[in-house]
Amino acid sequence: MYNAWFSNDSYAKGLITNIYIRQKRKMSFRKVNIVILVLAVALFLLVLHHNFLGLSSLLRNEVSDSGIVGLQPVDFIPNAPQQAVDGRQEEIPVVIAASEDRLGGAIAAINSIQHNTRSNVIFYIVTLNSTADHLRSWLSSSTLKSIRYKIVNFDTKLLEGKVKKDPDEGESIKPLTFARFYLPILVPGAKKAIYMDDDVIVQGDILALYNTPLKPGHAAAFSEDCDSTSTKVVIRGAGNQYNYIGYLDYKKERIRKLSMKASTCSFNPGVFVANLTEWKKQNITNQLEKWMKLNVEEGLYSRTLAGSITTPPLLIVFYQQHSTIDPMWNVRHLGSSAGKRYSPQFVKAAKLLHWNGHFKPWGRTASYTDVWEKWYIPDPTGKFSLIRRHVEISNIK
């Protein structure tokens, strides 16, 4: 009986020992599993963090898909010098169209903006696909390496059915002139943006223009033709050139039904500040496209159009619904004979010089071409060159 008890006792001890060993092994395995799980979680978090950074970079550097065919990002160069740009500063989007035959103008405008500000500027350069490589090679020059930019391809199909191809209206078949109509698509994440033509030079800090106050409900601020400083200096007895009747055909019933006064002062769309939140809220792009289509069907623009083919639809959509910019931020008419009436002191004081008109500063007969040429950077490919008969001296000191 003792032997039986001893035997049972030994069996029980062995059983307990086995259970203890098994539990210990299970605990060891559990510890190992916990360690493996912790390592897996850590690895997962590292991968997730890496992917998040990559995604953030992608979202920051690429224009999002707008859902509209024709405006697509080509590339992005985020190489602004750290000492010049404070990361906490609001980004200032500046949109400029750059056609092949006027590429030197866009380059000079960009150079002048960049060198006169310490703000966080990013340039959205709208061009055709055939010009992108030429533009990129020019922007890679040492003088321009500090700028941040996106090149956006503009597909001409976007304008099908919206532009009348009249050989007498040369600008109407230049698609890039309509890029300004699509600002929310070009700069999808911005609340505000600046648009400017390629025939300008900026002499002030672009931040001041960007900070132009817009009245509630206004989607854009322009420089009015009648009230601008440059117009007062240059234009006397210009007739209808700077009124609505100079751009729209008031004989057409559709125009008359709008009840817009023909004597209303027009504005220049070559430089403006846009509230993109309001622009989208009011469907400005759709409104502009509507009037473009109606003009193709009914011929609503004046036959003696006083300015750009893009002006009439803007005048209609923004009739008595736009703010104004400081007139010194769009000193124009330098591209006409009237520009020669400016004094060197006035030109020097201007925040932005605009060579609107037939004569461009890269050509022969424009006024104050030497002021523009200070910001011009020679084309490294040699495709674009200045046309000069003689050197003009403005004696600006």
Side-chain angles (χ1 to χ4, degrees):
M1 184 172 179
Y2 175 79
N3 289 337
W5 177 85
F6 181 79
S7 177
N8 290 337
D9 182 60
S10 297
Y11 174 76
K13 286 182 179 180
L15 182 62
I16 291 171
T17 300
N18 288 336
I19 292 172
Y20 173 76
I21 291 172
R22 288 196 191 105
Q23 290 295 331
K24 193 170 182 180
R25 286 177 178 173
K26 286 182 179 180
M27 289 179 67
S28 298
F29 286 139
R30 190 175 299 166
K31 287 181 180 180
V32 171
N33 289 337
I34 290 173
V35 171
I36 293 173
L37 180 61
V38 169
L39 289 174
V41 170
L43 181 61
F44 172 75
L45 290 175
L46 285 173
V47 172
L48 183 63
H49 179 66
H50 176 76
N51 290 338
F52 176 75
L53 289 177
L55 179 61
S56 298
S57 178
L58 178 63
L59 292 175
R60 184 172 60 251
N61 294 349
E62 295 294 339
V63 178
S64 62
D65 182 9
S66 64
I68 296 183
V69 177
L71 300 172
Q72 301 174 356
V74 178
D75 54 17
F76 175 80
I77 309 296
N79 56 349
Q82 295 299 318
Q83 69 274 16
V85 175
D86 184 346
R88 295 170 296 180
Q89 288 181 334
E90 183 178 1
E91 187 178 89
I92 301 177
V94 176
V95 179
I96 297 180
S99 61
E100 183 70 30
D101 60 329
R102 299 164 63 108
L103 207 51
I107 293 294
I110 291 169
N111 191 31
S112 69
I113 294 169
Q114 182 68 20
H115 279 79
N116 284 300
T117 188
R118 292 178 65 85
S119 298
N120 187 13
V121 177
I122 177 169
F123 297 95
Y124 290 78
I125 310 171
V126 189
T127 192
L128 300 180
N129 194 46
S130 57
T131 304
D133 287 341
H134 185 190
L135 175 59
R136 193 179 297 109
S137 65
W138 210 333
L139 291 170
S140 65
S141 65
S142 58
T143 308
L144 296 169
K145 282 186 177 179
S146 64
I147 74 166
R148 300 173 67 228
Y149 66 88
K150 291 182 181 180
I151 299 176
V152 183
N153 177 47
F154 191 95
D155 192 335
T156 57
K157 292 179 181 178
L158 196 64
L159 301 176
E160 288 181 356
K162 305 182 186 79
V163 177
K164 182 184 294 186
K165 295 185 178 181
D166 186 340
D168 295 329
E169 298 178 3
E171 194 174 8
S172 67
I173 58 175
K174 293 183 179 179
L176 293 178
T177 193
F178 296 97
R180 71 197 84 193
F181 289 3
Y182 300 93
L183 291 182
I185 304 167
L186 295 170
V187 194
K191 296 180 180 179
K192 196 175 181 181
I194 295 171
Y195 171 85
M196 58 180 60
D197 285 342
D198 56 11
D199 53 356
V200 306
I201 286 298
V202 173
Q203 300 184 135
D205 189 337
I206 198 71
L207 179 63
L209 178 61
Y210 184 75
N211 286 335
T212 297
L214 275 71
K215 295 178 181 179
H218 286 183
F222 302 91
S223 177
E224 294 192 346
D225 289 321
C226 304
D227 298 332
S228 72
T229 304
S230 53
T231 300
K232 287 180 180 179
V233 170
V234 174
I235 305 301
R236 290 277 193 272
N240 298 323
Q241 189 175 359
Y242 298 104
N243 297 321
Y244 268 48
I245 198 171
Y247 293 88
L248 299 167
D249 187 351
Y250 275 78
K251 294 179 181 179
K252 298 296 173 69
E253 183 180 1
R254 190 178 293 277
I255 296 297
R256 293 199 305 272
K257 282 184 176 180
L258 293 173
S259 299
M260 300 184 301
K261 291 184 178 180
S263 61
T264 302
C265 182
S266 58
F267 54 77
N268 181 272
V271 178
F272 65 90
V273 181
N275 179 334
L276 299 182
T277 302
E278 277 295 332
W279 190 294
K280 289 182 283 188
K281 181 179 178 181
Q282 298 178 31
N283 294 316
I284 298 295
T285 296
N286 290 340
Q287 291 188 58
L288 293 169
E289 289 184 325
K290 167 192 169 182
W291 288 105
M292 290 167 69
K293 291 176 182 177
L294 286 172
N295 177 62
V296 170
E297 297 168 2
E298 303 176 25
L300 302 178
Y301 303 166
S302 172
R303 292 189 178 183
T304 56
L305 192 62
S308 170
I309 195 72
T310 60
T311 304
L314 287 165
L315 292 179
I316 295 172
V317 172
F318 286 101
Y319 178 70
Q320 295 184 344
Q321 288 294 321
H322 67 273
S323 298
T324 57
I325 64 174
D326 182 338
M328 295 301 281
W329 272 101
N330 193 358
V331 172
R332 45 200 183 274
H333 309 302
L334 289 163
S336 67
S337 58
K340 297 183 185 299
R341 302 179 195 175
Y342 293 137
S343 70
Q345 293 74 24
F346 179 69
V347 170
K348 182 179 180 181
K351 301 297 183 182
L352 182 147
L353 298 171
H354 190 178
W355 280 264
N356 64 315
H358 295 294
F359 310 126
K360 299 305 175 186
W362 51 86
R364 292 190 178 96
T365 55
S367 303
Y368 292 98
T369 55
D370 58 313
V371 177
W372 177 87
E373 201 165 336
K374 287 193 304 183
W375 301 107
Y376 173 71
I377 299 169
D379 182 2
T381 70
K383 295 179 182 178
F384 185 97
S385 58
L386 305 183
I387 302 173
R388 293 286 185 262
R389 283 181 178 170
H390 61 276
V391 177
E392 297 181 2
I393 305 297
S394 67
N395 295 321
I396 293 182
K397 297 179 179 179

